[in-house]
Amino acid sequence: QRDRDGHTLMHWAAKRGDLYLVRFLAEKGAPLFETSADSVGMEPIHWAVTDGHLPVLHFLVSRGADFNARDKQLCTPLLIAAQYGQTEVVAYLVKNGADTTLLDTNNDSVREGGREGGRGGAKRRIFRLAELLTHSSLSPSFPLSFPP
């Protein structure tokens, strides 16, 4: 079932970072990758990254969620995580193979910075920091991978 804006309970559980509820819903057969029926068309993975919910992100990915899933504006979880300043999520996605070259409908990417006046510079800085953490010998205080 969906709310009046076209979102499923899985979307809301991912947005809240409620791993227990996400797992419960998955065990009961709720779809993990359904797009919202609104004008944006995001999957639960997009919702999980907005607030930096790494355990939910990892669970969704472990169940087959696409790192490069695109909404109706062609935004990927990586682009959204960078837009929301979620450095840890960006690092996790980059380390685990998210495509860093994909562009949204505004020609924004985490590498290029996108259009004039957009949030491209901030996204580019977030991406560079995450890339440094991912490829350095530093011991970051956040998990870049999770046990199975």
Side-chain angles (χ1 to χ4, degrees), residues 8-141:
T8 66
L9 189 53
M10 185 64 75
H11 284 95
W12 287 110
K15 175 71 173 159
R16 288 187 41 166
D18 190 334
L19 182 58
Y20 175 79
L21 183 55
V22 168
R23 282 185 174 157
F24 176 80
L25 292 169
E27 288 170 7
K28 297 299 179 189
L32 294 171
F33 320 119
E34 207 165 281
T35 59
S36 59
D38 60 2
S39 63
V40 184
M42 289 184 171
E43 293 182 18
I45 190 172
H46 294 100
W47 284 41
V49 302
T50 60
D51 291 319
H53 299 305
L54 277 171
V56 171
L57 171 62
H58 177 71
F59 178 80
L60 292 172
V61 168
S62 74
R63 296 295 177 99
D66 182 3
F67 280 124
N68 299 310
R70 305 197 68 177
D71 66 13
K72 291 180 181 176
Q73 285 76 41
L74 303 181
C75 289
T76 63
L78 179 61
L79 278 165
I80 292 168
Q83 285 174 343
Y84 281 84
Q86 301 297 341
T87 308
E88 297 155 351
V89 171
V90 171
Y92 176 84
L93 290 168
V94 169
K95 180 178 182 185
N96 288 286
D99 189 336
T100 62
T101 64
L102 295 176
L103 301 173
D104 67 10
T105 55
N106 294 313
N107 289 322
D108 260 343
S109 82
V110 291
R111 285 188 178 272
E112 305 301 323
R115 65 189 186 285
E116 292 279 327
R119 291 182 275 186
K123 282 191 287 190
R124 197 170 45 250
R125 286 189 298 278
I126 295 283
F127 171 73
R128 286 185 183 148
L129 175 59
E131 196 172 50
L132 286 171
L133 289 171
T134 301
H135 299 293
S136 75
S137 60
L138 295 175
S139 178
S141 63

